Amino acid sequence: MLFKTFSAAVFGIDAYLVEVEVDISAGNPNFMTVGLPDAAVRESRERIKSAIKNCGLEFPFQVITVNLAPADVKKEGSGFDLAIALGILGTTGVLLKADLRSYLFLGELSLDGGLRPVKGALSIATMARQKGIRRLVVPRENAREAAVVKDVEVYGLGSLVEVLDLVNETRAFEPARVSTAEMLAQAGQYGVDFRDVKGQLHAKRAIEVATAGGHNILMIGPPGAGKTMLAKRIPTILPPLTFDEALQTTKIHSVAGILEPGTGLVGVRPFRSPHHTISDAGLIGGGVVPRPGEVSLAHNGLLFLDELPEFQRNVLEVLRQPLEDGLVTIARASMSLTFPARFMLAAAMNPCPCGFFNDPSRECTCTPPMIQRYVSKISGPLLDRIDIHIDMPAVKYRELREDAGGEASERIRERVAAARRRQLARYQGEKIYCNAQMSSRQIARYCNISPECERLLESAMTRLGLSARAHDRILKVARTIADLAGARDISTEHIAEAIQYRSLDRSYWA
């Protein structure tokens, strides 16, 4: 006898429908799964067998063949357990319905028949809506996440017995309902604030400019200057996540398996800070079946690289494509996947291996060749993609002991959001969203400067030894400073402030 149910699997951050066909015939007991299953799928037969028996139901000891279609795509994970178990029970007459095309089943079975959460529920719910599937059955922990998708009835259940009751209509269950506005409001809370940071007014201003224009930023200073403390607070002044951004961010986190159970939406901008020992696959993504890396997990948020020169050079070089394109493409012999990776990069480094070069209170023990080798670990092409470089001296004792806190993140975020709105209005139809994404043609169009500004910029490039690549970066940053000030045109004060944010071009280590 043949019985069909439907489940789904994730490919990249998108899902595809899997038709589960179960056939039972007479013969020596055997349970075989076909359709390119991985080890977790093959092991499901033991979980399903125990779950059915421990729910007080009869398991058919006959020849059981399970086919997962399409058969030419590799299936991985434990999310097919529920659909396979229902297919087996359907062949024995336990299910009162023969046609389950309006249902999609997702969940891992425990040995006692309970349902355990799986990855990618949000992507699968989105796919179910596109396919016209009206009912989605998931483990209870995945219900809020899947219920974000409208026009699909999501049932979060706790056991195989409850699923049978739902399908056979012997018990009434209410579909999960969520308010996306409330979820975003509840989740959009940060545990840190800029008012906690003492001193470093210059660095705070530079970070405000960076977030307003989407510019990447590099902080240079001795240990204990507050680089990491400031970086952790950058997401608190970025504009709040829109619903579409939250949806895409949640998809990535769900597929990666780092979404907390019971969480419906990621409501705050991600902050990812990988250790400097990370591999290029860990940063970009990879694996036999590619998974999102840190750059994709930081999508719509911040990627913070502390101790930048300590990262392997090949690891840093793979950042160049996502910084430029906002996408990561991972190619394998059998597949090619693309993950979104549009993030703001913040990096921090010491000025030298010991950390005290140019520090008035501590003596630097590094020789010039040591400093040169340390700095040269960061390539020119990568620095080309970092618009703002700032010096961060050690915080003075008087500033550290001040009672008055700094400006709150909320007030800074209001100014940043206002500047971003001006940029969105300016770049309508241009397929860019902030000043940092401007091309050379767009810089020429939107960054016109007066003759006085021209003279100042020329003087700075000549006297301060600024590199040629700094020219466009200064104009981009000056455009952002003007947006923060609500100015239509770039003035000399905007150019002058932008010039200050090019420490590496001003021969910092000369």
Side-chain angles (χ1 to χ4, degrees):
M1 182 178 178
L2 179 67
F3 198 92
K4 294 183 181 181
T5 59
F6 294 91
S7 188
V10 175
F11 185 76
I13 64 168
D14 297 315
Y16 62 95
L17 190 65
V18 174
E19 186 175 351
V20 180
E21 300 174 311
V22 180
D23 180 71
I24 292 185
S25 57
N28 292 327
N30 187 26
F31 193 143
M32 182 170 58
T33 304
V34 296
L36 290 182
D38 72 348
V41 179
R42 287 194 297 270
E43 289 174 355
S44 67
R45 61 177 178 262
E46 307 301 332
R47 294 191 296 271
I48 292 167
K49 198 181 299 183
S50 296
I52 290 176
K53 290 192 295 184
N54 289 326
C55 287
L57 302 168
E58 186 178 346
F59 185 84
F61 286 97
Q62 295 174 284
V63 178
I64 302 174
T65 304
V66 177
N67 179 44
L68 304 176
D72 60 343
V73 179
K74 187 174 180 62
K75 316 300 186 307
E76 63 165 6
S78 56
F80 305 109
D81 288 9
L82 180 59
I84 295 173
L86 291 172
I88 292 171
L89 293 173
T91 61
T92 63
V94 174
L95 292 180
L96 303 181
K97 289 184 178 180
D99 186 358
L100 296 181
R101 282 179 293 183
S102 63
Y103 287 88
L104 192 149
F105 302 98
L106 184 69
E108 175 187 332
L109 285 173
S110 61
L111 298 186
D112 63 356
L115 288 181
R116 289 178 171 159
V118 294
K119 301 175 183 177
L122 179 57
S123 298
I124 290 170
T126 304
M127 181 275 299
R129 181 179 61 184
Q130 293 169 350
K131 296 286 185 181
I133 297 174
R134 295 183 291 111
R135 297 181 181 93
L136 174 62
V137 180
V138 297
R140 191 170 286 122
E141 292 85 350
N142 293 124
R144 282 174 59 81
E145 173 190 348
V148 170
V149 179
K150 304 299 182 186
D151 303 324
V152 176
E153 293 181 6
V154 177
Y155 295 91
L157 304 180
S159 68
L160 177 59
V161 173
E162 289 185 358
V163 178
L164 291 175
D165 289 339
L166 172 71
V167 175
N168 290 334
E169 298 180 354
T170 54
R171 286 171 61 188
F173 294 92
E174 286 294 323
R177 304 186 192 283
V178 296
S179 168
T180 54
E182 288 181 9
M183 290 170 69
L184 279 175
Q186 291 171 1
Q189 304 294 324
Y190 295 91
V192 294
D193 197 281
F194 258 85
R195 63 160 60 93
D196 305 329
V197 183
K198 302 290 182 67
Q200 299 295 9
L201 297 180
H202 176 63
K204 290 178 185 177
R205 170 63 179 174
I207 288 172
E208 181 180 340
V209 172
T211 54
H215 304 285
N216 301 318
I217 185 169
L218 173 62
M219 296 174 280
I220 310 161
K227 302 185 292 293
T228 304
M229 187 178 186
L230 280 168
K232 287 181 178 179
R233 285 155 176 77
I234 292 177
T236 68
I237 63 172
L238 286 167
L241 279 174
T242 64
F243 176 70
D244 288 340
E245 287 176 329
L247 203 63
Q248 194 171 35
T249 304
T250 305
K251 272 188 180 181
I252 298 169
H253 287 225
S254 177
V255 167
I258 64 171
L259 192 67
E260 294 182 11
T263 301
L265 280 175
V266 175
V268 297
R269 293 194 178 269
F271 175 83
R272 305 296 299 180
S273 180
H275 192 260
H276 60 75
T277 56
I278 192 172
S279 66
D280 50 359
L283 190 64
I284 293 298
V288 178
V289 177
R291 293 293 188 192
E294 291 292 330
V295 295
S296 295
L297 296 175
H299 181 63
N300 290 324
L302 181 79
L303 178 68
F304 177 52
L305 301 183
D306 202 4
E307 305 296 344
L308 186 64
E310 301 299 335
F311 285 79
Q312 295 292 328
R313 189 180 178 104
N314 66 298
V315 174
L316 293 179
E317 291 306 300
V318 297
L319 277 174
R320 287 157 60 177
Q321 184 207 354
L323 284 174
E324 195 73 27
D325 302 332
L327 295 170
V328 171
T329 301
I330 303 171
R332 294 291 181 268
S334 59
M335 68 183 74
S336 179
L337 290 177
T338 299
F339 294 109
R342 191 167 296 284
F343 57 90
M344 177 181 164
L345 174 66
M349 62 179 287
N350 296 331
C352 66
C354 77
F356 298 109
F357 181 80
N358 269 358
D359 191 325
S361 60
R362 299 286 294 273
E363 183 179 356
C364 176
T365 59
C366 304
T367 62
M370 289 170 61
I371 297 174
Q372 185 59 37
R373 282 195 301 271
Y374 181 74
V375 177
S376 64
K377 292 181 181 179
I378 309 169
S379 69
L382 180 60
L383 284 177
D384 268 347
R385 291 162 173 82
I386 301 178
D387 293 345
I388 295 177
H389 319 141
I390 55 167
D391 309 330
M392 288 184 58
V395 182
K396 297 177 181 178
Y397 177 80
R398 184 175 298 175
E399 293 175 334
L400 198 61
R401 297 298 299 169
E402 283 180 351
D403 292 332
E407 191 174 17
S409 292
E410 186 177 356
R411 291 187 61 187
I412 302 174
R413 185 168 60 243
E414 290 172 0
R415 296 196 295 268
V416 169
R420 286 287 184 104
R421 286 193 294 270
R422 294 185 186 98
Q423 292 164 51
L424 287 172
R426 180 187 305 128
Y427 302 132
Q428 273 189 326
E430 293 275 5
K431 295 185 179 179
I432 63 172
Y433 309 100
C434 58
N435 292 331
Q437 298 169 3
M438 282 193 290
S439 64
S440 298
R441 178 183 58 82
Q442 289 160 338
I443 290 173
R445 179 178 178 183
Y446 296 114
C447 297
N448 293 320
I449 54 177
S450 65
E452 187 178 4
C453 293
E454 289 275 11
R455 288 192 294 271
L456 176 60
L457 184 55
E458 181 183 4
S459 174
M461 295 191 68
T462 303
R463 296 184 182 182
L464 301 179
L466 297 179
S467 64
R469 68 179 178 232
H471 175 269
D472 285 358
R473 301 293 184 273
I474 289 172
L475 289 177
K476 285 183 182 181
V477 174
R479 178 67 268 173
T480 300
I481 296 168
D483 289 338
L484 276 171
R488 179 181 175 182
D489 299 318
I490 298 173
S491 66
T492 53
E493 61 183 18
H494 305 143
I495 293 287
E497 183 177 351
I499 291 169
Q500 297 178 38
Y501 300 140
R502 299 298 302 179
S503 295
L504 295 184
D505 293 301
R506 287 187 279 122
S507 303
Y508 181 87
W509 286 272

